[in-house]
Structures are given as structure tokens and as C-alpha cells.
Amino acid sequence: VASISNMAALTAIQFFGTGLIKRAIVGGEDRALSSSETLVSAFAGGAISGIVCGPLELTMIQQQKFGLNIIQTPAGIIRETGILGMTRGILPAITREGIFT
């Protein structure tokens, strides 16, 4: 369930984020993006999705490690390390999603 949720959220956020960045780049003009603008918008859309993807993947990994459910796992992480514990590994996730989007 967590893997499917992760992939669905990741894909939706990538499309939405990339679209927002594209609209910001063209600023309302009716024109196609240049190659570099397309690369920037795709990277940014992927990076935005990494913000969500990181905590979801952390939850999946910790579920596998400790055998807890999807509610108990993040609750345990937060209880042990505080809310910032959910950001563990987020920078690599942001970078990975930006590059591979």
C-alpha cells in the first residue's frame, strides 16, 4: 500500500509541479519552452515531488525494518526523533527525483 501511495503521489506532484514551473517561466505568453527551460521545469517538478517522496520512502523502509503499520511507523519516528526525523534522507530524495524526472 505504501509503495503504491508513494508512486501515485510522486507522479501527480511531478506533473503538477512541472506544470506550475512551466507556467511561471512563460509568464502567460503563448510559446513553447526552450530546451533549457524544459530541463529546469522538469528538474524543479521532480525536486518538488522529492519533498513528499522522502518521508513516504522513509516510512516504507522503517515499516520493513520494524514490522509496524503505516500509522505506527511515522508516529514512532516522530516520537523518537521529533518531526524533523521525518526529513531524514530528504535531500538525496529531492536530488534523485529532480534528476530522474
Side-chain angles (χ1 to χ4, degrees):
V1 172
S3 183
I4 293 170
S5 299
N6 181 36
M7 186 56 73
L10 178 69
T11 303
I13 292 167
Q14 285 172 347
F15 275 97
F16 182 73
T18 301
L20 284 177
I21 301 300
K22 283 181 178 181
R23 283 191 293 281
I25 289 172
V26 298
E29 295 178 32
D30 187 20
R31 66 173 179 88
L33 295 178
S34 69
S35 295
S36 60
E37 290 171 333
T38 300
L39 286 172
V40 167
S41 64
F43 182 87
I48 291 167
S49 72
I51 295 168
V52 174
C53 177
L56 288 175
E57 289 180 357
L58 175 65
T59 299
M60 287 189 303
I61 291 166
Q62 295 302 309
Q63 272 185 290
Q64 293 167 359
K65 185 175 179 181
F66 296 111
L68 301 173
N69 68 34
I70 198 163
I71 303 299
Q72 294 168 328
T73 303
I77 293 168
I78 293 167
R79 185 175 47 255
E80 293 292 322
T81 61
I83 192 71
L84 290 178
M86 291 301 294
T87 64
R88 182 174 167 196
I90 202 165
L91 289 179
I94 289 170
T95 303
R96 181 196 64 224
E97 295 306 321
I99 290 170
F100 289 113
T101 296

